[in-house]
Amino acid sequence: QVQLVNSGGGSVQAGGSLRLSCAASGSIFGFNEMGWSRQAPGKQRESVAHINSEDSTSYADSVKGRFTISRHNAENSVYLQMNSLKPEDTAVYYCDGDFLLDSNGATWTGWGQGTQVTVSS
């Protein structure tokens, strides 16, 4: 019932910036949490940054101070501003979320197709 669509990503030099966007669509009543995880070659997927319905944010220690997750004026769209990028940030980034489907508490949890972020030295 829910579709997550990523945009952004690409290749940048170390120290550069990228901005990722994610939009959720479908029969969404509300959301609990949205954000990004990432997976680098040879690594397990890890949480990067997430924001909940009360605008409380969480970040991986490795990106604190460099990445900022935000919502604009739509609760089902989120943005990840990535500054001071490092080669170790290279990974496929997946938008993910946990959504309310109705007023009875039904939920849907999933992730989008992913987008490649490559940071060169």
Side-chain angles (χ1 to χ4, degrees):
Q1 288 184 281
V2 179
Q3 183 178 18
L4 298 173
V5 179
N6 282 300
S7 62
S11 298
V12 297
Q13 295 275 354
S17 298
L18 286 172
R19 184 172 182 263
L20 305 182
S21 301
C22 181
S25 62
S27 299
I28 300 171
F29 184 77
F31 88 108
N32 294 317
E33 185 177 76
M34 292 181 67
W36 278 266
S37 60
R38 68 186 180 187
Q39 187 166 24
K43 303 289 187 179
Q44 296 191 45
R45 186 176 297 188
E46 64 173 344
S47 174
V48 176
H50 288 83
I51 186 166
N52 69 13
S53 60
E54 297 180 350
D55 285 333
S56 178
T57 58
S58 62
Y59 297 93
D61 287 342
S62 60
V63 307
K64 288 180 179 177
R66 300 188 297 118
F67 291 11
T68 303
I69 188 168
S70 64
R71 297 188 293 119
H72 198 259
N73 291 319
E75 69 176 42
N76 295 331
S77 296
V78 295
Y79 308 90
L80 184 66
Q81 180 66 44
M82 304 186 294
N83 297 326
S84 301
L85 284 161
K86 303 175 180 180
E88 51 263 44
D89 295 318
T90 296
V92 176
Y93 285 68
Y94 298 91
C95 177
D96 56 34
D98 183 57
F99 299 89
L100 296 171
L101 301 181
D102 57 40
S103 61
N104 295 320
T107 62
W108 182 94
T109 301
W111 56 91
Q113 80 280 12
T115 185
Q116 178 70 46
V117 170
T118 301
V119 184
S120 62
S121 59

